[in-house]
Amino acid sequence: KTLMIAAESALYSAKADGRGTWRFFEPELQTQQAERRQLEADLRLALAQGQFELAYQPQVNTTAGTVTGVEALLRWRHPRRGLVSPAAFIPLAEETGLIVPIGRWVLAQACADAAGWPAGVRLAVNVSAVQFQQGGLLSDVLSALQASGLPPGRLEVEITETAMLRDPQHALATLGELRANGVRVAMDDFGTGYSSLSTLRSFPFDRIKIDRSFVRDAETRADTRAIVRAVAGLGRSLGMSTTVEGVETASQLEIVRNEGCEEVQGFLFSRPQPAAAIPALIEQL
């Protein structure tokens, strides 16, 4: 029995690193997997017990300085662990399929919160590839909009290119259905995937979100600024807006503004805030 448990631990470790890999058993593998099983059990209780909450980060027009959108960000406030990083639980939620009911709650709660904000402010919500693969996303979106009264044109669904690559035809069909119902669609983390240009050609996104990695070095690297300039120009040519993530300094803001980017988000303007703080924040910025 002990041998079988050890073999199983090594097997799960190898699977976690992808296909075609192998692992020797090490005692810490059992500890890691026990922690993972406990986290999964806690994750299953979290939704039922109301442990999830949303924080919101404003997206600001680079010319007018006004808030044009707000991105919903998921947080898990665990009763013992405290605030659990999304990086620690989102992959597990996707692997177990729990991201589907969690994502459904996010859509419903975010739309309900945003319905009370000024009409010119849109809501951006990240959607996992698993939500696309398992179906029901369109129904979840439409149900959230109907229950909240939020107009479809104020909701923007964000999906990463990597997520689309898992099943491009199904993903594109689902995105097309969303747009047909008035919902906007954005490609998140642009430039970090494998075939960005072909994906943009395949589907008319409303917005391109430039990954924060291109902003981090913009003050010191001319090649990074050139990439930002090129993406902004590409967006204009294709009729898509551009939002730059991770803007933290006035210098970075000036650079992306000069390169033609229309919108930014980042700590320069605000850290993620609870829903109750957003109306005042919109007025202040």
Side-chain angles (χ1 to χ4, degrees), residues 80-161:
R80 297 187 311 279
R81 302 170 187 258
L83 206 58
V84 182
S85 167
F89 73 86
I90 292 295
L92 180 59
E94 291 182 325
E95 183 180 335
T96 58
L98 290 171
I99 195 66
V100 174
I102 292 172
R104 187 178 301 125
W105 175 84
V106 170
L107 279 166
Q109 185 62 53
C111 287
D113 290 340
W117 299 340
V121 177
R122 73 180 184 281
L123 167 70
V125 178
N126 291 281
V127 177
S128 164
V130 179
Q131 292 173 267
F132 277 85
Q133 292 170 340
Q134 295 198 9
L137 176 61
L138 178 64
S139 176
D140 291 343
V141 167
L142 296 180
S143 295
L145 291 172
Q146 182 177 18
S148 64
L150 185 74
R154 287 183 58 196
L155 176 62
E156 187 168 270
V157 170
E158 297 184 0
I159 179 172
T160 63
E161 181 192 12

Side-chain angles (χ1 to χ4, degrees), residues 54-56 117 272-279:
L54 294 179
Y56 296 92
W117 299 340
Q273 302 290 332
I278 296 302

Side-chain angles (χ1 to χ4, degrees), residues 60-77:
V60 179
N61 181 274
T62 55
T63 303
T66 55
V67 176
T68 49
V70 179
E71 181 178 4
L73 301 168
L74 181 62
R75 300 288 185 261
W76 179 13
R77 197 170 296 278

Side-chain angles (χ1 to χ4, degrees), residues 21-36:
T21 60
W22 53 272
R23 291 288 179 272
F24 286 113
F25 169 75
E26 297 176 0
E28 53 265 31
L29 289 179
Q30 282 185 298
T31 302
Q32 293 171 1
Q33 285 160 20
E35 292 174 351
R36 182 191 179 283

Side-chain angles (χ1 to χ4, degrees), residues 56-60 67 69-70 264-266 269-271 281 285:
Y56 296 92
Q57 188 171 40
Q59 299 166 329
V60 179
V67 176
V70 179
V264 294
Q265 74 180 83
F269 296 97
S270 175
R271 291 180 177 273
L281 189 60
L285 292 176

Side-chain angles (χ1 to χ4, degrees), residues 1-277:
K1 182 179 178 180
T2 301
L3 180 60
M4 292 300 296
I5 292 174
E8 186 177 27
S9 296
L11 173 64
Y12 283 139
S13 178
K15 283 185 174 181
D17 289 336
R19 294 183 178 182
T21 60
W22 53 272
R23 291 288 179 272
F24 286 113
F25 169 75
E26 297 176 0
E28 53 265 31
L29 289 179
Q30 282 185 298
T31 302
Q32 293 171 1
Q33 285 160 20
E35 292 174 351
R36 182 191 179 283
R37 286 192 294 271
Q38 183 59 57
L39 187 64
E40 180 180 345
D42 290 349
L43 194 57
R44 292 183 182 280
L45 290 175
L47 190 58
Q49 296 181 354
Q51 296 173 14
F52 291 115
E53 54 191 58
L54 294 179
Y56 296 92
Q57 188 171 40
Q59 299 166 329
V60 179
N61 181 274
T62 55
T63 303
T66 55
V67 176
T68 49
V70 179
E71 181 178 4
L73 301 168
L74 181 62
R75 300 288 185 261
W76 179 13
R77 197 170 296 278
H78 192 282
R80 297 187 311 279
R81 302 170 187 258
L83 206 58
V84 182
S85 167
F89 73 86
I90 292 295
L92 180 59
E94 291 182 325
E95 183 180 335
T96 58
L98 290 171
I99 195 66
V100 174
I102 292 172
R104 187 178 301 125
W105 175 84
V106 170
L107 279 166
Q109 185 62 53
C111 287
D113 290 340
W117 299 340
V121 177
R122 73 180 184 281
L123 167 70
V125 178
N126 291 281
V127 177
S128 164
V130 179
Q131 292 173 267
F132 277 85
Q133 292 170 340
Q134 295 198 9
L137 176 61
L138 178 64
S139 176
D140 291 343
V141 167
L142 296 180
S143 295
L145 291 172
Q146 182 177 18
S148 64
L150 185 74
R154 287 183 58 196
L155 176 62
E156 187 168 270
V157 170
E158 297 184 0
I159 179 172
T160 63
E161 181 192 12
T162 303
M164 292 188 64
L165 292 175
R166 295 186 183 182
D167 189 348
Q169 291 186 337
H170 178 68
L172 291 174
T174 302
L175 294 177
E177 291 175 338
L178 289 169
R179 287 188 97 233
N181 282 275
V183 176
R184 298 164 61 88
V185 178
M187 177 186 281
D188 198 13
D189 298 339
F190 182 82
T192 60
Y194 301 100
S195 57
S196 299
L197 295 179
S198 63
T199 305
L200 288 179
R201 185 182 63 181
S202 302
F203 188 83
F205 290 89
D206 296 288
R207 180 176 307 279
I208 302 171
K209 297 196 71 179
I210 301 175
D211 186 69
R212 65 184 64 245
S213 61
F214 294 103
V215 182
R216 190 178 303 119
D217 300 327
E219 294 166 296
T220 57
R221 295 186 56 173
D223 57 348
T224 297
R225 294 194 294 274
I227 291 173
V228 172
R229 184 185 318 128
V231 174
L234 177 64
R236 283 193 300 275
S237 299
L238 296 174
M240 304 176 189
S241 302
T242 51
T243 300
V244 182
E245 299 180 289
V247 174
E248 298 183 355
T249 68
S251 175
Q252 290 173 344
L253 172 62
E254 184 67 18
I255 289 170
V256 299
R257 180 195 289 127
N258 290 339
E259 300 301 355
C261 298
E262 304 154 348
E263 188 179 80
V264 294
Q265 74 180 83
F267 290 173
L268 176 63
F269 296 97
S270 175
R271 291 180 177 273
Q273 302 290 332

